[in-house]
Amino acid sequence: MRLKHLESALSTIQREFPNPNVRLEQYPTSPELAAAVVWTAFERGDVGHGRTVLDLGCGTGMLTAAAALVESDHVFALDCDESALHIARQNIEELEMLHQVSFLLAQVKGVAGMQTLGDDKRRSKAAGGGGNHKGSRGSGNRKGRGGRPTEARSSTQEVREQILTDADQDGIPIRSGFVDTVLTNPPFGTKDNAGMDLRFLKTATRLARRAVYSFHKTSTRAFMKKHVESVWKMSFTVVAEMQFDIPNTFKFHKQQNVNIQVDLIRIDV
């Protein structure tokens, strides 16, 4: 398969969220962007034949589908939103690749001092690939890719610093080093999700035994690089600079669409 064929295949499946939730920062991932991310990982030998992959916060399954299409041995699609997981499963079924993908319902734990969305019993559910799952691409139930402040909280910088040092469990009931590579398009940590970008990244590094690929705002590059390298003692490489197109999705959006400059980073774990 070539890159253009991957883009073409991804363009045939549903990428939109029927009822996007602002707390989950549920924005559709374009076929071009998903293909570019997975192709980058494929060229480096991190996905494809002989590799297992986890799409952490899979949403409607664009990265999941791309990883399956490049013939990864097995792909795990994990999200907290049942309705998005349902769409992801339908997409994989349409591509006739259900034998290659398992679907997991679980929630990335919110930062310390923040309450998670949904009750604790739902947060820890996980299921294999054959079930009738309905499910999004973040943490929480249909309501959020991250935690929600109960009251006024510390600054974004302080929240991020706390994530870097917290040793508590991340809420994902999967053993460390479960897959070769983790792909994640995490919340940017805006609105009520301050710090969830690093929470997702930290969880991803725990679950992977080879590499992590993750999107982050280019404006946070210096901060991310410093802490991944100096605190986590892991390599941090910007493998591509991309644009993430955010369409007019919520009432507070004033423009038709906005292009956010993002880094695709690779962490060697």
Side-chain angles (χ1 to χ4, degrees):
M1 176 174 287
R2 296 185 178 182
L3 177 58
K4 64 180 182 180
H5 298 145
L6 185 57
E7 291 178 359
S8 178
L10 293 175
S11 69
T12 67
I13 60 178
Q14 179 178 345
R15 68 188 186 101
E16 292 83 8
F17 296 86
N19 298 293
N21 190 291
V22 65
R23 294 191 184 279
L24 289 176
E25 298 182 39
Q26 288 180 325
Y27 300 110
T29 303
S30 71
E32 294 78 15
L33 188 62
V37 170
V38 171
W39 195 257
T40 298
F42 177 71
E43 290 187 318
R44 286 165 173 74
D46 294 323
V47 301
H49 182 69
R51 301 296 182 203
T52 54
V53 179
L54 169 67
D55 183 357
L56 180 64
C58 66
T60 58
M62 296 299 287
L63 293 176
T64 297
L69 285 165
V70 297
E71 300 182 350
S72 299
D73 284 7
H74 201 80
V75 183
F76 298 87
L78 185 151
D79 207 282
C80 63
D81 186 338
E82 292 187 48
S83 61
L85 269 180
H86 180 64
I87 294 172
R89 190 179 190 282
Q90 287 182 323
N91 284 336
I92 298 303
E93 186 172 16
E94 184 175 324
L95 294 170
E96 299 182 349
M97 308 194 82
L98 278 177
H99 63 285
Q100 239 176 297
V101 181
S102 296
F103 300 88
L104 310 173
L105 179 64
Q107 173 184 354
V108 175
K109 190 175 182 180
V111 299
M114 303 175 89
Q115 66 180 19
T116 53
L117 295 169
D119 79 35
D120 292 338
K121 292 180 181 179
R122 289 191 63 192
R123 186 186 65 212
S124 62
K125 284 199 300 181
N132 293 322
H133 307 296
K134 302 176 181 179
S136 159
R137 58 172 227 196
S139 60
N141 56 13
R142 173 96 191 154
K143 298 189 176 180
R145 278 167 62 186
R148 165 174 68 184
T150 55
E151 299 177 20
R153 296 298 175 190
S154 56
S155 69
T156 299
Q157 179 72 15
E158 290 171 331
V159 169
R160 282 176 166 165
E161 293 288 353
Q162 193 166 16
I163 291 170
L164 293 165
T165 57
D166 272 354
D168 58 345
Q169 295 181 351
D170 51 36
I172 302 300
I174 299 176
R175 64 176 172 80
S176 298
F178 180 66
V179 294
D180 293 306
T181 300
V182 174
L183 308 174
T184 184
N185 180 7
F188 288 137
T190 58
K191 292 295 176 184
D192 293 333
N193 283 338
M196 284 307 294
D197 51 350
L198 279 175
R199 176 64 77 178
F200 266 70
L201 188 59
K202 185 177 183 182
T203 301
T205 61
R206 180 182 72 79
L207 297 174
R209 56 178 174 261
R210 178 181 174 88
V212 170
Y213 287 81
S214 183
F215 286 119
H216 297 274
K217 285 184 176 180
T218 300
S219 60
T220 67
R221 182 188 298 177
F223 175 86
M224 302 287 292
K225 179 177 175 63
K226 174 184 176 182
H227 284 88
V228 169
E229 292 182 341
S230 65
V231 179
W232 296 353
K233 306 300 181 185
M234 297 178 181
S235 68
F236 177 102
T237 305
V238 178
V239 293
E241 296 180 2
M242 301 177 170
Q243 288 191 335
F244 192 94
D245 180 60
I246 295 181
N248 188 311
T249 305
F250 302 108
K251 290 182 179 179
F252 61 83
H253 287 161
K254 304 301 182 183
Q255 301 181 53
Q256 188 63 31
N257 68 289
V258 175
N259 287 319
I260 304 296
Q261 292 296 129
V262 297
D263 291 340
L264 175 62
I265 67 169
R266 181 187 186 277
I267 296 178
D268 188 343
V269 298

